[in-house]
Amino acid sequence: MLKYLASRLLTFIPTFIGVTLISFSFIRALPGDPIVVMAGERGLSEERYAELVKQFGFDRPVYVQFWEYLTGVLQGDLGNSFVTKKPVWDEFFALFPATLELSICAMIFAVALGLPAGVIAAVNRGKFFDRALMSTALVGYSMPIFWWALLLIIVFSGNLGWTPVSGRIDLVYYFPNATGFMLIDSLVSGQKGAFASAVRHLILPTIVLGTIPLAVIARQTRSAMLEVLGEDYIRTARAKGMPPGRINGIHALRNALIPVVTVIGLSVGTLLAGAILTETIFSWPGIGKWMVDSIFRRDYPVVQGGLLLIAVMVMIVNLTVDVLYGVINPKIRKR
Amino acid sequence: MTETAAAAVTETARPNRLREFWYYFRENRGAVIGLWVFAVFVFCAALGPWIAPHDPTQQFREYTLLPPAWQTGGSWEFILGTDPLGRDMLSRLIVGARYSFFVGVVVVSIAASGGILIGLIAGFSPTWLDAIIMRIMDIILAFPSLLLALVLVAILGPSLTNAMIAIAIVLQPHYVRLTRASVLSEKQKDYVTSARVAGAGLVRLMFVTVLPNCLAPIIVQGALSFSTAILDAAALGFLGMGAQPPTPEWGTMLAEAREFILRAWWVVTFPGLAILVTVLAINLMGDGLRDALDPKLKRS
């Protein structure tokens, strides 16, 4: 086990350095003079330019510059935003809870509906229910979620007036941002209606962001269940006269869950890509919207730092899933 | 079943692969429906400007935001209504098909040819080179695809061409991994050893001996990434980082229509529906392809 863990960690390090190298090259790959880009100032005088070259370290060899960038990153120094002048690191972690809250809700939504849907489809294989569920899943899987979001807004916010169109909570409520999770903060604040408002703001973004994972989980659960249902021990359980609910729900599902859990873990990247679109449409103040806004504002330190932090986040989750998978399934460790 | 068995007995030659493929593909009704929808899509892409009732960029100023024909106030001249600038929705959708089709074809060609080449090299190269190539692919895969595409477009400048390049780069690692995995398992087999013993050179071994036997999963991946490419290009267009207005690209059309969502449902609904139907048709075809090409899943 330790050997497996070490080998996984060993592949993590070069990937991390590579990801850092990409975000390091980002500013240098932009069209135009990187000094002018990074200074974010117009009409630089010659003295100021020379000063900036020195300040940003462009007078030194590239590998020294990269080394300094890398050591800076490891100490949490990602530079400051052009727009707010605040450190990128602080901004990222101030906005991250919003994205995390949305992603967790979307994942709960996807698992809560996708898992039973997959099980029901597998148990009723080939019947009407199976076909209907799997057709719906394929539609969900093919969904352009930015359009899906607009449709939901038209129906639920426009026609029915049930849900708000943007933001995390109504502006009339104000309370300290203790955890960054609006659901918890609003509940703790004890203000009447605050929690309900937060929930109503969450519903549409959750559905939009959860749609594709939901479809993937439903399809994956179905195929994993079908595989397990063909195993000998299931036949044995049937022969013993065990009730079908117990066979499907406990014996089969437990073993079908292993590949499903992997899929859930590995869809973090998909979730973050979806968060970019979802947050932009619903004006959700998370890192997805922050990245898109920064790209439009040409706030390059933010784009550079955000890119790196998001990639590292995805890598850590993938590594964790890999290691956990090795813990659950010893066969994997041998490879 | 008996028919094919009889055919196999009478024909000593290899059974016609295309016919065999079609036999299995036809069994999947969804895939056949998908194929028909895709055919309509290709037809629109090829002949768009000639079958569209109006010029997609012509502005009928006296008919702005006209509802579809079946609603009150609609006109049969503009079956799906007009957009805020008075352009015919149906014409824009038909002509827009060619942008999506173009995106799909270009992205899949670039990503697949590059990915297959790199994957073959990785599969045949010494361990250290293989490790380096795969680590580079891991690095690309660490970034969420849409985010990486967005940043690449920010570097290259927003346009449909740059969006295609960015999406192709993002999709490439999947082909590399797939090709490499197939190559590694094929390389063990006897026919490759015998080809090597017979004196086949490395290039011949790579492209003539091994590659054709790795193609099935790659073709399926091709169908899947065709739909991913269309979705991503539309998403980039929607974010203002893909095709630029007034191009009738479906994602860009949606972005332009956003402010009218509560006043004119049709300007929002139809472009998205076009994306959904196209992507769905391609995914249905992809499922059919997988069933027909993957011998493990064939019900014999």
Side-chain angles (χ1 to χ4, degrees):
Chain A
M1 187 63 217
L2 268 180
K3 209 175 146 197
Y4 172 74
L5 196 67
S7 80
R8 296 308 311 167
L9 278 173
L10 270 181
T11 59
F12 183 84
I13 295 165
T15 318
F16 173 76
I17 293 176
V19 165
T20 322
L21 191 61
I22 286 193
S23 88
F24 170 77
S25 332
F26 167 69
I27 292 230
R28 285 152 185 85
L30 285 167
D33 189 336
I35 310 276
V36 180
V37 168
M38 275 165 90
E41 295 168 27
R42 283 187 193 166
L44 290 169
S45 67
E46 233 160 81
E47 300 91 75
R48 177 85 180 120
Y49 188 86
E51 192 186 313
L52 283 172
V53 168
K54 202 155 190 148
Q55 188 192 325
F56 293 135
F58 275 85
D59 50 346
R60 277 167 291 169
V62 178
Y63 59 87
V64 176
Q65 292 176 36
F66 178 62
W67 177 251
E68 301 223 319
Y69 179 70
L70 189 63
T71 46
V73 165
L74 289 174
Q75 292 160 22
D77 174 19
L78 291 167
N80 292 349
S81 156
F82 288 159
V83 179
T84 62
K85 308 288 178 205
K86 280 192 264 179
V88 173
W89 183 274
D90 296 356
E91 284 207 341
F92 182 90
F93 286 100
L95 293 170
F96 187 64
T99 302
L100 191 62
E101 181 177 41
L102 178 58
S103 306
I104 290 175
C105 289
M107 219 54 210
I108 291 174
F109 166 78
V111 173
L113 290 181
L115 217 53
V119 172
I120 293 172
V123 173
N124 297 296
R125 181 185 188 174
K127 293 187 194 149
F128 170 77
F129 228 56
D130 176 27
R131 290 211 205 121
L133 279 174
M134 284 307 113
S135 312
T136 319
L138 195 64
V139 172
Y141 181 68
S142 311
M143 189 64 84
I145 60 167
F146 44 100
W147 175 67
W148 180 226
L150 296 179
L151 277 195
L152 291 173
I153 290 178
I154 292 182
V155 175
F156 291 104
S157 307
N159 295 352
L160 298 170
W162 289 354
T163 53
V165 181
S166 65
R168 292 179 80 186
I169 195 158
D170 286 331
L171 290 175
V172 292
Y173 302 105
Y174 181 79
F175 40 81
N177 215 344
T179 58
F181 293 94
M182 200 52 89
L183 287 178
I184 299 174
D185 286 350
S186 62
L187 203 59
V188 170
S189 77
Q191 289 180 45
K192 218 176 147 195
F195 182 69
S197 170
V199 170
R200 275 192 293 127
H201 279 81
L202 248 174
I203 293 173
L204 289 190
T206 298
I207 295 175
V208 169
L209 188 55
T211 298
I212 290 181
L214 164 61
V216 173
I217 290 172
R219 280 162 64 105
Q220 189 68 41
T221 310
R222 178 179 178 270
S223 63
M225 271 296 275
L226 283 181
E227 203 159 292
V228 173
L229 284 176
E231 298 275 342
D232 288 343
Y233 70 89
I234 296 290
R235 202 181 328 145
T236 312
R238 279 211 190 101
K240 283 198 304 186
M242 198 176 269
R246 199 175 153 78
I247 297 176
N248 295 328
I250 298 180
H251 290 238
L253 182 62
R254 252 176 76 173
N255 285 299
L257 271 181
I258 298 174
V260 175
V261 169
T262 325
V263 167
I264 294 173
L266 293 181
S267 57
V268 172
T270 325
L271 218 52
L272 280 170
I276 294 172
L277 291 164
T278 314
E279 290 180 1
T280 310
I281 294 169
F282 289 100
S283 301
W284 190 265
I287 48 171
K289 184 172 184 302
W290 178 63
M291 286 297 285
V292 172
D293 289 348
S294 306
I295 288 174
F296 276 103
R297 285 191 210 126
R298 303 180 182 278
D299 193 346
Y300 294 123
V302 169
V303 179
Q304 185 185 33
L307 191 66
L308 177 63
L309 285 175
I310 291 174
V312 171
M313 212 69 106
V314 172
M315 281 164 55
I316 291 174
V317 174
N318 287 356
L319 180 73
T320 318
V321 172
D322 256 13
V323 171
L324 283 182
Y325 199 46
V327 173
I328 304 174
N329 190 350
K331 263 191 273 176
I332 281 286
R333 281 181 237 156
K334 298 262 163 59
R335 284 200 301 197
Chain B
M1 200 63 230
T2 46
E3 250 179 56
T4 45
V9 173
T10 47
E11 280 177 48
T12 41
R14 194 157 58 173
N16 187 333
R17 278 208 213 167
L18 206 65
R19 190 175 301 159
E20 189 197 346
F21 165 75
W22 180 243
Y23 175 82
Y24 284 108
F25 188 79
R26 211 180 40 189
E27 279 197 346
N28 187 332
R29 211 192 313 157
V32 177
I33 296 172
L35 185 65
W36 279 111
V37 176
F38 187 69
V40 173
F41 169 65
V42 174
F43 179 73
C44 288
L47 300 174
W50 293 280
I51 54 173
H54 299 280
D55 183 330
T57 51
Q58 191 185 353
Q59 302 179 2
F60 298 90
R61 283 304 172 90
E62 59 275 35
Y63 298 114
T64 53
L65 283 180
L66 210 64
W70 57 88
Q71 278 205 324
T72 46
S75 147
W76 283 103
E77 204 190 334
F78 307 103
I79 299 172
L80 296 181
T82 58
D83 73 357
L85 293 174
R87 294 172 295 195
D88 181 37
M89 286 296 291
L90 181 63
S91 308
R92 286 177 72 71
L93 288 178
I94 292 175
V95 175
R98 66 171 38 188
Y99 294 96
S100 290
F101 182 69
F102 190 55
V103 166
V105 170
V106 172
V107 167
V108 172
S109 324
I110 298 178
S113 51
I116 291 171
L117 188 64
I118 299 175
L120 274 174
I121 293 174
F124 275 95
S125 60
T127 335
W128 61 270
L129 185 59
D130 178 37
I132 292 176
I133 292 176
M134 293 325 284
R135 282 294 84 73
I136 294 175
M137 295 305 136
D138 280 354
I139 292 166
I140 300 178
L141 285 173
F143 296 97
S145 57
L146 187 63
L147 181 66
L148 190 57
L150 258 176
V151 170
L152 284 172
V153 172
I155 296 174
L156 300 167
S159 76
L160 192 62
T161 319
N162 292 341
M164 288 192 294
I165 296 173
I167 298 168
I169 293 176
V170 171
L171 290 180
Q172 175 143 298
H174 297 284
Y175 288 93
V176 176
R177 285 189 154 189
L178 212 56
T179 312
R180 174 179 170 271
S182 314
V183 167
L184 288 183
S185 75
E186 290 293 320
K187 240 172 68 175
Q188 314 285 338
K189 295 188 180 161
D190 290 342
Y191 75 94
V192 182
T193 316
S194 75
R196 187 174 288 152
V197 169
L202 187 62
V203 175
R204 191 186 167 81
L205 222 49
M206 279 162 79
F207 291 94
V208 182
T209 315
V210 171
L211 181 60
N213 293 298
C214 303
L215 278 181
I218 296 171
I219 292 172
V220 176
Q221 178 65 31
L224 290 179
S225 51
F226 200 104
S227 60
T228 315
I230 291 179
L231 271 181
D232 281 359
L236 286 176
F238 180 76
L239 291 171
M241 285 293 191
Q244 297 296 307
T247 315
E249 197 271 325
W250 294 336
T252 313
M253 283 171 75
L254 266 177
E256 286 180 80
R258 250 184 93 178
E259 46 185 312
F260 299 95
I261 55 173
L262 296 181
R263 275 169 51 201
W265 60 268
W266 58 93
V267 289
V268 176
T269 311
F270 294 129
L273 204 59
I275 301 172
L276 174 63
V277 169
T278 310
V279 170
L280 185 60
I282 297 168
N283 284 342
L284 279 169
M285 270 171 53
D287 276 4
L289 275 177
R290 192 193 53 213
D291 293 352
L293 290 174
D294 192 340
K296 264 182 270 170
L297 293 170
K298 268 182 199 170
R299 283 150 289 161
S300 44

